[in-house]
Amino acid sequence: MSEQYLDEKDVRGIAEYVRIGLTDDEVAAMTVDLNNVIETLKPITEYDLEGVEPTFHPIGDLSNVMREDVEVPGFTQEVALSNAPKQQDGCFLIPSILGEGGDR
C-alpha cells in the first residue's frame, strides 16, 4: 500500500459513530483493511468525467413505483381464524417452541 488515507484516530471515530466497539488490535487491523479498500478503489478517481451527468438511479427517470397507499377493508376476526387449525378465545393457538411444550 503506497498511502495511508485513514489513521487509527479516524477509524476510532468511525467505529464510535456506527456504535461498534473495537479493541486496540481490531482498530489497527481495521485501519489496514480500510486503507486497502480505499487503495483498491483509487483507480476510479482517475476517470475523465468532464461533462458526464450524475446518475441518481440505475434505471434513469424511474421515480416512485409504489402504489398509492389506500385504506381498504381488512379481514374480520372470523375470516382470519377460519383456516386456523386450532384457535382459542378468538386467537390463533400455536405449538409452543420453548419450555415444556403444548399449545399457547
Side-chain angles (χ1 to χ4, degrees):
M1 184 170 69
S2 60
E3 289 184 58
Q4 182 169 348
Y5 303 96
L6 300 172
D7 59 23
E8 289 188 7
K9 181 180 176 190
D10 297 323
V11 173
R12 287 181 196 282
I14 293 167
E16 182 179 333
Y17 180 76
V18 297
R19 298 175 189 228
I20 297 175
L22 297 175
T23 65
D24 290 341
D25 290 341
E26 290 171 328
V27 168
M30 187 64 69
T31 302
V32 171
D33 290 345
L34 288 175
N35 282 311
N36 285 337
V37 169
I38 293 169
E39 183 69 24
T40 301
L41 296 174
K42 188 176 179 184
I44 66 173
T45 65
E46 298 170 6
Y47 289 111
D48 179 16
L49 301 176
E50 186 68 35
V52 176
E53 292 293 321
T55 302
F56 296 101
H57 195 284
I59 306 178
D61 292 334
L62 184 64
S63 58
N64 187 1
V65 295
M66 306 296 274
R67 67 171 170 78
E68 290 294 319
D69 189 12
V70 178
E71 186 176 338
V72 296
F75 294 118
T76 63
Q77 184 176 15
E78 293 77 27
V79 171
L81 291 170
S82 65
N83 288 322
K86 294 183 179 180
Q87 52 181 296
Q88 179 180 344
D89 301 325
C91 298
F92 293 99
L93 191 61
I94 60 169
S96 177
I97 59 170
L98 301 174
E100 299 175 14
D103 291 332
R104 295 191 170 232

